[in-house]
Amino acid sequence: MTQYIYEFGPQKNQGNATLKNLLGGKGANLAEMATLGLPVPPGFTISTECCNHYFDLGGRFPDSLEAKITCAMENIERQIKMKFGDENNPLLVSCRSGARSSMPGMMETILNVGLCSTTIPGLIAKTGNEWFVYDAYRRLIMMYSDVVMEKAEQIKPQNGMGIRLNLEMMMNNLKNDKGYTNDTDISCEDMKILCSRFKKKIHETLNIEFPDDPKEQLMGAIGAVFKSWNGRRAVSYRRIEHIPDNWGTAVNVQSMVFGNMGETSATGVAFSRDPATGDNKFYGEWLVNAQGEDVVAGTRTPNPLNNDTKNTQNRHLSSLEEAMPELYAQLFDIRNTLESHYKDMQDIEFTIQEGHLYMLQCRVGKRTATAALNMAMDMFEQGMIDEKTMICRLDPKMLDDMLHPIVDPAAEKTAEKITEGLPAGPGGAWGQIVFTSEDAVAWAKSNKHVILLREETNPEDIEGMRAACAILTARGGMTSHAALVARGWGKCCIVGAGAMKINATTKELRVGANIFHEGDFITLNGTKGIVYQGRLKMTDSLENPRFQKFMAIADSYRTMKVRANADTPEDAKIALAFGAEGIGLFRTEHMFYGSDSGKPLFLLRKMILSKSKEERQVALDELFPFVKQEISNTLSVMGTLPVTLRLLDPPLHEFVPQSQENQQEIADALRIDLEEVLKRSALLKESNPMIGHRGVRLGITFPEITRMQVTAIFEACAELIRAGKNPLPEIMVPVTCNEKELAFTHKIVTECYDNTLAKYGIKTIPYLFGTMIETPRAALIADKMAKYAQFFSFGTNDLTQMTFGFSRDDIGSFMNEYIDNAILTSDPFETLDQEAVGSLIEISVERGKKTRPDIKLGICGEHGGDPKSVVFCHKAGLTYVSCSPYRIPIARLAAAQAAILN
């Protein structure tokens, strides 16, 4: 029989950290901490396997589960000598989610399960603390009604006013009426009244009574945690993070310990190192007389964990080190134990109940890219991890965050500071302020840079947080929801900017005498925690010596080379700065798009609209020197590194002049009237231009176009060789589907080569001739293509388009629905589809090598900079990947990790 329940605690422990996939991160690590002898309250974990079975049964528990839960609860009761549902000595438990991959705030937790009319008197008598019992009860009512009674039942609240928001408004109204500042100020009598009003409101709103039976509460809570795996925000987070739907969540049922039992009780969240900078300092926050949700929700600004990490925002608050030195010393020892054991930075949750410390969670902590780099290198230098582990510690996507812009220090000197808060997320960002998650999404869709401004974020804001380029909150600490999520995404974020007064209704921000409205520009320095007025200049943060050292070590393990997609000398210089080992895609048509391209574009249009070969040749002769010079400039920058030059690829109609002025200019040049220009332009239009008259097909119809480009390449090389340089061009023929196309083109290339050698009186020009594999047919007949092609470069943008039958220019109209409905797990134009497109690549590699064992193999689609796709390319045996210059570090690290892990 399948084991669904795994117990943990000081007396019985059935799990460990290796069972993360089955027990989720939280359950596996609770068991591991218990094994280490740390003070973990006993409990049990219901497995992710049970979660999936629950959904397979249509939202019903497996038949044997309830009896097994009863048995596991009895084991907890024996260990702590309390009984669930007992009138005199009641045990209370928490129900928490725990996926194998951390999803902070995305799923649900219910605390204080088991409190009801029969257990409340006994707990009051046992603790002698009536206020604590009713504070715990009102928390249960708020969580349970929200999670179990509303969200799990998929009840959509009217006007967005969910039951939890209704209850919070009731509590805030009571506080305002009575002059209470904090929740802890509420009197015991008022807390009783509030609980009674809560239950009445729940019945009015949801038309059901709040459950007064401990067992009903427990089974309802477990089911709701399972259901939260498919909650809207959890699904959204999984889509963003590419977490599979079939992983499921575990449920951790654990005996409650209470941080809200008075001044000798507390709760907190800590990191074994600073998650923002990576400094080897114990970092965290805590609250006296509180439960864990108070710290992460950001509703109260927490105290600093120790004196070492105090800052300008919390310097006046007492640290745990000052307030409870003995308990702090115990926690510090646990920090050292956990980091030494896991050999990675740990995110820790703890509770202090009447002077006793308990551990509720540890997991690998989320961190900024800079912190990840510093921690990995520090731990390697300290001997905690080896070199390979160090390299694999950084998610390659993190490098994108590390290279994000920072606020230009020169611009900061004269900028007007609005306010400051805690530096929760890295780098800098500017944008227009919006006050709701919905507005952030809508504005971002209109290509606006937005900064999401909130009192504090909550998990419901997940879509808006993702859409915004930065997040700014008035409340919360470094362990609040906003800070955790922003750090995980490498997004600029400042929290706890307490001077801000936000009115989300009027969409107005006040800071002192300054007033800001929706749409106003501000700039955030997420590294320093400073907010500036207006839009400040940004600069990149590439020149980091530690980053350069790390990448040099990573490169020593890499077996696959990384090139750049670059079309200009400027792009080539940037690519070299990022570590490119050549150019994998030089798009010859791009020389007609950029600056100073007016004249070449005019000549290209003249060539396109020529009606006879003679007219066309005149235009090509005029165009030739421009093409040669552009190619020469880029080859010169790249020195001895290879440059793959793709012959003209796009449909000709893309270059047809649209304005009457440009049309008339072409008419005059060709000595024809305007009507003839329009007629010739119309003839170039195609029904399906992306699979029409383009690429190699142009060269077969008009071989003079190929001849001009190839001659320009060879003559540019000949002149560079005469100047003492050693260019290495690779001529690539696009959109092929037949080896005879290559034979046709290769004949032209050979003629041009021989003519250039004769013209310049040189013996040889080193070059390669190859093709872009971007049609399924070309991939399947790779053995024939390789008779002529010395290299293949997989154009995965078009190969994906032609394999799926998706227009890459139009997928925005349906791709979100495909992903939301789990028809596809990710956008195939972002992450390579390994099942079909990947199979075509593998077939092509295998068949190409049979014909030409030394064939060079690369990829130049956008997938060349996607880490998962890079790993696939390594496994497939490719020689190199090519990507945009700014993604080169990502590809380099992904390639190094692929070599280490495979």
Side-chain angles (χ1 to χ4, degrees), residues 130-139 141 171 174 180 183-198:
E130 189 176 22
W131 183 92
F132 147 70
V133 174
Y134 277 98
D135 179 54
Y137 191 43
R138 69 95 185 160
R139 290 171 185 271
I141 295 170
M171 189 162 79
L174 183 143
Y180 298 136
D183 299 350
T184 51
D185 298 333
I186 301 174
S187 71
C188 186
E189 286 304 310
D190 283 333
M191 197 68 82
K192 288 182 186 179
I193 293 168
L194 198 59
C195 290
S196 178
R197 290 176 179 173
F198 277 0

PDB file of all heavy atoms in Angstrom, residues 130-139 141 171 174 180 183-198:
ATOM      1  N   GLU A 130      -6.004  34.593  28.431  1.00  0.00           N
ATOM      2  CA  GLU A 130      -7.232  34.653  27.635  1.00  0.00           C
ATOM      3  C   GLU A 130      -7.023  35.447  26.341  1.00  0.00           C
ATOM      4  O   GLU A 130      -7.547  35.088  25.282  1.00  0.00           O
ATOM      5  CB  GLU A 130      -8.358  35.268  28.476  1.00  0.00           C
ATOM      6  CG  GLU A 130      -9.726  35.172  27.809  1.00  0.00           C
ATOM      7  CD  GLU A 130     -10.839  35.706  28.703  1.00  0.00           C
ATOM      8  OE1 GLU A 130     -10.545  36.507  29.614  1.00  0.00           O
ATOM      9  OE2 GLU A 130     -12.005  35.336  28.472  1.00  0.00           O
ATOM     10  N   TRP A 131      -6.269  36.552  26.435  1.00  0.00           N
ATOM     11  CA  TRP A 131      -6.043  37.382  25.240  1.00  0.00           C
ATOM     12  C   TRP A 131      -5.362  36.562  24.144  1.00  0.00           C
ATOM     13  O   TRP A 131      -5.754  36.615  22.976  1.00  0.00           O
ATOM     14  CB  TRP A 131      -5.168  38.582  25.584  1.00  0.00           C
ATOM     15  CG  TRP A 131      -4.974  39.497  24.409  1.00  0.00           C
ATOM     16  CD1 TRP A 131      -5.726  40.583  24.078  1.00  0.00           C
ATOM     17  CD2 TRP A 131      -3.976  39.379  23.365  1.00  0.00           C
ATOM     18  NE1 TRP A 131      -5.271  41.154  22.918  1.00  0.00           N
ATOM     19  CE2 TRP A 131      -4.198  40.430  22.453  1.00  0.00           C
ATOM     20  CE3 TRP A 131      -2.935  38.489  23.131  1.00  0.00           C
ATOM     21  CZ2 TRP A 131      -3.406  40.619  21.323  1.00  0.00           C
ATOM     22  CZ3 TRP A 131      -2.148  38.662  21.990  1.00  0.00           C
ATOM     23  CH2 TRP A 131      -2.390  39.731  21.105  1.00  0.00           C
ATOM     24  N   PHE A 132      -4.354  35.805  24.512  1.00  0.00           N
ATOM     25  CA  PHE A 132      -3.628  34.987  23.537  1.00  0.00           C
ATOM     26  C   PHE A 132      -4.569  34.011  22.843  1.00  0.00           C
ATOM     27  O   PHE A 132      -4.521  33.846  21.620  1.00  0.00           O
ATOM     28  CB  PHE A 132      -2.494  34.222  24.226  1.00  0.00           C
ATOM     29  CG  PHE A 132      -2.212  32.873  23.631  1.00  0.00           C
ATOM     30  CD1 PHE A 132      -1.636  32.757  22.378  1.00  0.00           C
ATOM     31  CD2 PHE A 132      -2.557  31.711  24.321  1.00  0.00           C
ATOM     32  CE1 PHE A 132      -1.404  31.509  21.820  1.00  0.00           C
ATOM     33  CE2 PHE A 132      -2.320  30.464  23.757  1.00  0.00           C
ATOM     34  CZ  PHE A 132      -1.740  30.362  22.498  1.00  0.00           C
ATOM     35  N   VAL A 133      -5.448  33.359  23.604  1.00  0.00           N
ATOM     36  CA  VAL A 133      -6.333  32.354  23.021  1.00  0.00           C
ATOM     37  C   VAL A 133      -7.268  32.992  22.002  1.00  0.00           C
ATOM     38  O   VAL A 133      -7.456  32.466  20.896  1.00  0.00           O
ATOM     39  CB  VAL A 133      -7.134  31.625  24.120  1.00  0.00           C
ATOM     40  CG1 VAL A 133      -8.160  30.673  23.496  1.00  0.00           C
ATOM     41  CG2 VAL A 133      -6.195  30.853  25.041  1.00  0.00           C
ATOM     42  N   TYR A 134      -7.837  34.153  22.329  1.00  0.00           N
ATOM     43  CA  TYR A 134      -8.758  34.790  21.388  1.00  0.00           C
ATOM     44  C   TYR A 134      -8.025  35.430  20.215  1.00  0.00           C
ATOM     45  O   TYR A 134      -8.575  35.529  19.092  1.00  0.00           O
ATOM     46  CB  TYR A 134      -9.670  35.778  22.111  1.00  0.00           C
ATOM     47  CG  TYR A 134     -10.850  35.080  22.739  1.00  0.00           C
ATOM     48  CD1 TYR A 134     -10.854  34.737  24.094  1.00  0.00           C
ATOM     49  CD2 TYR A 134     -11.940  34.698  21.958  1.00  0.00           C
ATOM     50  CE1 TYR A 134     -11.913  34.056  24.662  1.00  0.00           C
ATOM     51  CE2 TYR A 134     -13.020  34.014  22.518  1.00  0.00           C
ATOM     52  CZ  TYR A 134     -13.007  33.697  23.870  1.00  0.00           C
ATOM     53  OH  TYR A 134     -14.065  33.016  24.416  1.00  0.00           O
ATOM     54  N   ASP A 135      -6.782  35.867  20.426  1.00  0.00           N
ATOM     55  CA  ASP A 135      -5.984  36.343  19.288  1.00  0.00           C
ATOM     56  C   ASP A 135      -5.718  35.185  18.332  1.00  0.00           C
ATOM     57  O   ASP A 135      -5.804  35.342  17.107  1.00  0.00           O
ATOM     58  CB  ASP A 135      -4.657  36.931  19.785  1.00  0.00           C
ATOM     59  CG  ASP A 135      -3.776  37.423  18.645  1.00  0.00           C
ATOM     60  OD1 ASP A 135      -4.264  38.238  17.828  1.00  0.00           O
ATOM     61  OD2 ASP A 135      -2.606  37.003  18.559  1.00  0.00           O
ATOM     62  N   ALA A 136      -5.386  34.003  18.870  1.00  0.00           N
ATOM     63  CA  ALA A 136      -5.166  32.825  18.035  1.00  0.00           C
ATOM     64  C   ALA A 136      -6.457  32.416  17.318  1.00  0.00           C
ATOM     65  O   ALA A 136      -6.435  32.014  16.144  1.00  0.00           O
ATOM     66  CB  ALA A 136      -4.650  31.667  18.888  1.00  0.00           C
ATOM     67  N   TYR A 137      -7.601  32.558  18.020  1.00  0.00           N
ATOM     68  CA  TYR A 137      -8.889  32.175  17.434  1.00  0.00           C
ATOM     69  C   TYR A 137      -9.265  33.110  16.279  1.00  0.00           C
ATOM     70  O   TYR A 137      -9.692  32.656  15.218  1.00  0.00           O
ATOM     71  CB  TYR A 137      -9.963  32.180  18.515  1.00  0.00           C
ATOM     72  CG  TYR A 137     -11.278  31.556  18.090  1.00  0.00           C
ATOM     73  CD1 TYR A 137     -11.307  30.372  17.353  1.00  0.00           C
ATOM     74  CD2 TYR A 137     -12.489  32.145  18.451  1.00  0.00           C
ATOM     75  CE1 TYR A 137     -12.516  29.791  16.976  1.00  0.00           C
ATOM     76  CE2 TYR A 137     -13.695  31.562  18.084  1.00  0.00           C
ATOM     77  CZ  TYR A 137     -13.709  30.396  17.350  1.00  0.00           C
ATOM     78  OH  TYR A 137     -14.896  29.821  16.971  1.00  0.00           O
ATOM     79  N   ARG A 138      -9.066  34.426  16.465  1.00  0.00           N
ATOM     80  CA  ARG A 138      -9.434  35.345  15.382  1.00  0.00           C
ATOM     81  C   ARG A 138      -8.533  35.117  14.166  1.00  0.00           C
ATOM     82  O   ARG A 138      -8.971  35.252  13.018  1.00  0.00           O
ATOM     83  CB  ARG A 138      -9.417  36.792  15.853  1.00  0.00           C
ATOM     84  CG  ARG A 138      -8.058  37.415  16.182  1.00  0.00           C
ATOM     85  CD  ARG A 138      -7.448  38.188  15.025  1.00  0.00           C
ATOM     86  NE  ARG A 138      -6.109  38.653  15.372  1.00  0.00           N
ATOM     87  CZ  ARG A 138      -5.204  39.012  14.486  1.00  0.00           C
ATOM     88  NH1 ARG A 138      -5.470  38.950  13.197  1.00  0.00           N
ATOM     89  NH2 ARG A 138      -4.012  39.418  14.883  1.00  0.00           N
ATOM     90  N   ARG A 139      -7.268  34.717  14.388  1.00  0.00           N
ATOM     91  CA  ARG A 139      -6.375  34.398  13.268  1.00  0.00           C
ATOM     92  C   ARG A 139      -6.875  33.155  12.529  1.00  0.00           C
ATOM     93  O   ARG A 139      -6.873  33.107  11.295  1.00  0.00           O
ATOM     94  CB  ARG A 139      -4.954  34.160  13.778  1.00  0.00           C
ATOM     95  CG  ARG A 139      -4.246  35.410  14.282  1.00  0.00           C
ATOM     96  CD  ARG A 139      -2.927  35.030  14.966  1.00  0.00           C
ATOM     97  NE  ARG A 139      -2.254  36.160  15.571  1.00  0.00           N
ATOM     98  CZ  ARG A 139      -1.372  36.945  14.957  1.00  0.00           C
ATOM     99  NH1 ARG A 139      -1.083  36.707  13.686  1.00  0.00           N
ATOM    100  NH2 ARG A 139      -0.788  37.945  15.585  1.00  0.00           N
ATOM    101  N   ILE A 141      -9.949  32.064  12.381  1.00  0.00           N
ATOM    102  CA  ILE A 141     -11.179  32.424  11.663  1.00  0.00           C
ATOM    103  C   ILE A 141     -10.839  33.141  10.354  1.00  0.00           C
ATOM    104  O   ILE A 141     -11.409  32.842   9.295  1.00  0.00           O
ATOM    105  CB  ILE A 141     -12.085  33.303  12.549  1.00  0.00           C
ATOM    106  CG1 ILE A 141     -12.573  32.506  13.770  1.00  0.00           C
ATOM    107  CG2 ILE A 141     -13.279  33.821  11.751  1.00  0.00           C
ATOM    108  CD1 ILE A 141     -13.273  33.370  14.815  1.00  0.00           C
ATOM    109  N   MET A 171     -11.696  44.630  11.555  1.00  0.00           N
ATOM    110  CA  MET A 171     -10.707  44.780  12.612  1.00  0.00           C
ATOM    111  C   MET A 171     -10.101  46.187  12.599  1.00  0.00           C
ATOM    112  O   MET A 171      -9.903  46.798  13.660  1.00  0.00           O
ATOM    113  CB  MET A 171      -9.603  43.724  12.464  1.00  0.00           C
ATOM    114  CG  MET A 171      -8.644  43.685  13.658  1.00  0.00           C
ATOM    115  SD  MET A 171      -7.671  42.174  13.772  1.00  0.00           S
ATOM    116  CE  MET A 171      -6.425  42.507  12.548  1.00  0.00           C
ATOM    117  N   LEU A 174     -12.535  48.604  14.117  1.00  0.00           N
ATOM    118  CA  LEU A 174     -12.535  48.516  15.581  1.00  0.00           C
ATOM    119  C   LEU A 174     -11.323  49.242  16.171  1.00  0.00           C
ATOM    120  O   LEU A 174     -11.433  49.976  17.158  1.00  0.00           O
ATOM    121  CB  LEU A 174     -12.537  47.047  16.002  1.00  0.00           C
ATOM    122  CG  LEU A 174     -12.601  46.789  17.520  1.00  0.00           C
ATOM    123  CD1 LEU A 174     -13.468  45.570  17.823  1.00  0.00           C
ATOM    124  CD2 LEU A 174     -11.202  46.569  18.117  1.00  0.00           C
ATOM    125  N   TYR A 180      -6.802  52.049  18.928  1.00  0.00           N
ATOM    126  CA  TYR A 180      -5.714  51.073  19.001  1.00  0.00           C
ATOM    127  C   TYR A 180      -4.747  51.303  17.829  1.00  0.00           C
ATOM    128  O   TYR A 180      -5.181  51.477  16.693  1.00  0.00           O
ATOM    129  CB  TYR A 180      -6.241  49.644  18.935  1.00  0.00           C
ATOM    130  CG  TYR A 180      -7.169  49.240  20.064  1.00  0.00           C
ATOM    131  CD1 TYR A 180      -8.346  48.534  19.814  1.00  0.00           C
ATOM    132  CD2 TYR A 180      -6.850  49.550  21.384  1.00  0.00           C
ATOM    133  CE1 TYR A 180      -9.187  48.141  20.846  1.00  0.00           C
ATOM    134  CE2 TYR A 180      -7.685  49.154  22.426  1.00  0.00           C
ATOM    135  CZ  TYR A 180      -8.856  48.463  22.149  1.00  0.00           C
ATOM    136  OH  TYR A 180      -9.684  48.075  23.173  1.00  0.00           O
ATOM    137  N   ASP A 183      -2.347  45.536  16.512  1.00  0.00           N
ATOM    138  CA  ASP A 183      -3.243  44.433  16.855  1.00  0.00           C
ATOM    139  C   ASP A 183      -3.084  44.032  18.319  1.00  0.00           C
ATOM    140  O   ASP A 183      -4.047  43.638  18.980  1.00  0.00           O
ATOM    141  CB  ASP A 183      -2.946  43.217  15.973  1.00  0.00           C
ATOM    142  CG  ASP A 183      -3.157  43.502  14.488  1.00  0.00           C
ATOM    143  OD1 ASP A 183      -3.706  44.568  14.170  1.00  0.00           O
ATOM    144  OD2 ASP A 183      -2.761  42.652  13.667  1.00  0.00           O
ATOM    145  N   THR A 184      -1.849  44.120  18.819  1.00  0.00           N
ATOM    146  CA  THR A 184      -1.583  43.712  20.205  1.00  0.00           C
ATOM    147  C   THR A 184      -2.209  44.665  21.221  1.00  0.00           C
ATOM    148  O   THR A 184      -2.257  44.345  22.414  1.00  0.00           O
ATOM    149  CB  THR A 184      -0.071  43.624  20.445  1.00  0.00           C
ATOM    150  OG1 THR A 184       0.551  44.841  20.012  1.00  0.00           O
ATOM    151  CG2 THR A 184       0.540  42.463  19.673  1.00  0.00           C
ATOM    152  N   ASP A 185      -2.672  45.843  20.770  1.00  0.00           N
ATOM    153  CA  ASP A 185      -3.319  46.797  21.685  1.00  0.00           C
ATOM    154  C   ASP A 185      -4.774  46.440  21.948  1.00  0.00           C
ATOM    155  O   ASP A 185      -5.376  46.931  22.910  1.00  0.00           O
ATOM    156  CB  ASP A 185      -3.251  48.219  21.108  1.00  0.00           C
ATOM    157  CG  ASP A 185      -1.829  48.724  20.937  1.00  0.00           C
ATOM    158  OD1 ASP A 185      -0.955  48.262  21.690  1.00  0.00           O
ATOM    159  OD2 ASP A 185      -1.598  49.563  20.043  1.00  0.00           O
ATOM    160  N   ILE A 186      -5.355  45.622  21.092  1.00  0.00           N
ATOM    161  CA  ILE A 186      -6.779  45.298  21.228  1.00  0.00           C
ATOM    162  C   ILE A 186      -7.015  44.567  22.540  1.00  0.00           C
ATOM    163  O   ILE A 186      -6.306  43.612  22.867  1.00  0.00           O
ATOM    164  CB  ILE A 186      -7.259  44.430  20.041  1.00  0.00           C
ATOM    165  CG1 ILE A 186      -7.035  45.160  18.709  1.00  0.00           C
ATOM    166  CG2 ILE A 186      -8.737  44.063  20.190  1.00  0.00           C
ATOM    167  CD1 ILE A 186      -7.338  44.311  17.485  1.00  0.00           C
ATOM    168  N   SER A 187      -8.005  45.005  23.284  1.00  0.00           N
ATOM    169  CA  SER A 187      -8.275  44.384  24.584  1.00  0.00           C
ATOM    170  C   SER A 187      -8.858  42.993  24.391  1.00  0.00           C
ATOM    171  O   SER A 187      -9.361  42.644  23.312  1.00  0.00           O
ATOM    172  CB  SER A 187      -9.263  45.235  25.378  1.00  0.00           C
ATOM    173  OG  SER A 187     -10.559  45.152  24.799  1.00  0.00           O
ATOM    174  N   CYS A 188      -8.819  42.214  25.476  1.00  0.00           N
ATOM    175  CA  CYS A 188      -9.343  40.851  25.406  1.00  0.00           C
ATOM    176  C   CYS A 188     -10.839  40.847  25.098  1.00  0.00           C
ATOM    177  O   CYS A 188     -11.320  40.063  24.276  1.00  0.00           O
ATOM    178  CB  CYS A 188      -9.058  40.133  26.719  1.00  0.00           C
ATOM    179  SG  CYS A 188      -9.498  38.378  26.677  1.00  0.00           S
ATOM    180  N   GLU A 189     -11.582  41.743  25.737  1.00  0.00           N
ATOM    181  CA  GLU A 189     -13.029  41.805  25.505  1.00  0.00           C
ATOM    182  C   GLU A 189     -13.334  42.171  24.060  1.00  0.00           C
ATOM    183  O   GLU A 189     -14.234  41.609  23.442  1.00  0.00           O
ATOM    184  CB  GLU A 189     -13.683  42.801  26.463  1.00  0.00           C
ATOM    185  CG  GLU A 189     -13.798  42.301  27.886  1.00  0.00           C
ATOM    186  CD  GLU A 189     -14.552  40.982  27.968  1.00  0.00           C
ATOM    187  OE1 GLU A 189     -15.654  40.889  27.377  1.00  0.00           O
ATOM    188  OE2 GLU A 189     -14.031  40.036  28.592  1.00  0.00           O
ATOM    189  N   ASP A 190     -12.576  43.138  23.542  1.00  0.00           N
ATOM    190  CA  ASP A 190     -12.790  43.521  22.145  1.00  0.00           C
ATOM    191  C   ASP A 190     -12.410  42.388  21.193  1.00  0.00           C
ATOM    192  O   ASP A 190     -13.015  42.230  20.132  1.00  0.00           O
ATOM    193  CB  ASP A 190     -11.983  44.778  21.810  1.00  0.00           C
ATOM    194  CG  ASP A 190     -12.645  46.042  22.353  1.00  0.00           C
ATOM    195  OD1 ASP A 190     -13.874  46.036  22.511  1.00  0.00           O
ATOM    196  OD2 ASP A 190     -11.925  47.033  22.604  1.00  0.00           O
ATOM    197  N   MET A 191     -11.394  41.599  21.569  1.00  0.00           N
ATOM    198  CA  MET A 191     -10.994  40.474  20.730  1.00  0.00           C
ATOM    199  C   MET A 191     -12.114  39.434  20.688  1.00  0.00           C
ATOM    200  O   MET A 191     -12.400  38.846  19.639  1.00  0.00           O
ATOM    201  CB  MET A 191      -9.701  39.852  21.244  1.00  0.00           C
ATOM    202  CG  MET A 191      -8.992  38.950  20.239  1.00  0.00           C
ATOM    203  SD  MET A 191      -8.329  39.847  18.829  1.00  0.00           S
ATOM    204  CE  MET A 191      -6.779  40.453  19.520  1.00  0.00           C
ATOM    205  N   LYS A 192     -12.763  39.202  21.824  1.00  0.00           N
ATOM    206  CA  LYS A 192     -13.904  38.274  21.879  1.00  0.00           C
ATOM    207  C   LYS A 192     -15.025  38.761  20.973  1.00  0.00           C
ATOM    208  O   LYS A 192     -15.621  37.999  20.199  1.00  0.00           O
ATOM    209  CB  LYS A 192     -14.433  38.155  23.305  1.00  0.00           C
ATOM    210  CG  LYS A 192     -13.566  37.393  24.266  1.00  0.00           C
ATOM    211  CD  LYS A 192     -14.294  37.346  25.611  1.00  0.00           C
ATOM    212  CE  LYS A 192     -13.463  36.737  26.707  1.00  0.00           C
ATOM    213  NZ  LYS A 192     -14.182  36.740  27.988  1.00  0.00           N
ATOM    214  N   ILE A 193     -15.331  40.044  21.103  1.00  0.00           N
ATOM    215  CA  ILE A 193     -16.402  40.637  20.285  1.00  0.00           C
ATOM    216  C   ILE A 193     -16.077  40.499  18.807  1.00  0.00           C
ATOM    217  O   ILE A 193     -16.936  40.172  17.981  1.00  0.00           O
ATOM    218  CB  ILE A 193     -16.614  42.118  20.675  1.00  0.00           C
ATOM    219  CG1 ILE A 193     -17.175  42.214  22.098  1.00  0.00           C
ATOM    220  CG2 ILE A 193     -17.515  42.826  19.677  1.00  0.00           C
ATOM    221  CD1 ILE A 193     -17.157  43.616  22.671  1.00  0.00           C
ATOM    222  N   LEU A 194     -14.789  40.741  18.466  1.00  0.00           N
ATOM    223  CA  LEU A 194     -14.358  40.665  17.079  1.00  0.00           C
ATOM    224  C   LEU A 194     -14.551  39.259  16.529  1.00  0.00           C
ATOM    225  O   LEU A 194     -15.052  39.081  15.411  1.00  0.00           O
ATOM    226  CB  LEU A 194     -12.884  41.076  16.988  1.00  0.00           C
ATOM    227  CG  LEU A 194     -12.330  41.481  15.621  1.00  0.00           C
ATOM    228  CD1 LEU A 194     -13.095  42.673  15.047  1.00  0.00           C
ATOM    229  CD2 LEU A 194     -10.848  41.827  15.733  1.00  0.00           C
ATOM    230  N   CYS A 195     -14.196  38.240  17.301  1.00  0.00           N
ATOM    231  CA  CYS A 195     -14.365  36.853  16.857  1.00  0.00           C
ATOM    232  C   CYS A 195     -15.830  36.538  16.594  1.00  0.00           C
ATOM    233  O   CYS A 195     -16.176  35.864  15.610  1.00  0.00           O
ATOM    234  CB  CYS A 195     -13.798  35.889  17.895  1.00  0.00           C
ATOM    235  SG  CYS A 195     -11.993  35.910  18.026  1.00  0.00           S
ATOM    236  N   SER A 196     -16.679  37.021  17.469  1.00  0.00           N
ATOM    237  CA  SER A 196     -18.116  36.797  17.305  1.00  0.00           C
ATOM    238  C   SER A 196     -18.634  37.479  16.041  1.00  0.00           C
ATOM    239  O   SER A 196     -19.398  36.901  15.264  1.00  0.00           O
ATOM    240  CB  SER A 196     -18.860  37.310  18.537  1.00  0.00           C
ATOM    241  OG  SER A 196     -20.249  37.147  18.379  1.00  0.00           O
ATOM    242  N   ARG A 197     -18.205  38.719  15.829  1.00  0.00           N
ATOM    243  CA  ARG A 197     -18.618  39.453  14.626  1.00  0.00           C
ATOM    244  C   ARG A 197     -18.076  38.789  13.357  1.00  0.00           C
ATOM    245  O   ARG A 197     -18.757  38.755  12.329  1.00  0.00           O
ATOM    246  CB  ARG A 197     -18.140  40.907  14.703  1.00  0.00           C
ATOM    247  CG  ARG A 197     -18.866  41.749  15.747  1.00  0.00           C
ATOM    248  CD  ARG A 197     -18.252  43.147  15.809  1.00  0.00           C
ATOM    249  NE  ARG A 197     -18.933  43.988  16.787  1.00  0.00           N
ATOM    250  CZ  ARG A 197     -18.507  45.214  17.136  1.00  0.00           C
ATOM    251  NH1 ARG A 197     -17.396  45.713  16.586  1.00  0.00           N
ATOM    252  NH2 ARG A 197     -19.170  45.919  18.021  1.00  0.00           N
ATOM    253  N   PHE A 198     -16.862  38.278  13.450  1.00  0.00           N
ATOM    254  CA  PHE A 198     -16.263  37.585  12.305  1.00  0.00           C
ATOM    255  C   PHE A 198     -17.147  36.426  11.856  1.00  0.00           C
ATOM    256  O   PHE A 198     -17.451  36.264  10.669  1.00  0.00           O
ATOM    257  CB  PHE A 198     -14.875  37.045  12.672  1.00  0.00           C
ATOM    258  CG  PHE A 198     -13.751  38.051  12.571  1.00  0.00           C
ATOM    259  CD1 PHE A 198     -13.978  39.365  12.180  1.00  0.00           C
ATOM    260  CD2 PHE A 198     -12.447  37.666  12.858  1.00  0.00           C
ATOM    261  CE1 PHE A 198     -12.933  40.271  12.084  1.00  0.00           C
ATOM    262  CE2 PHE A 198     -11.399  38.560  12.758  1.00  0.00           C
ATOM    263  CZ  PHE A 198     -11.634  39.866  12.368  1.00  0.00           C
TER     264      PHE A 198
END
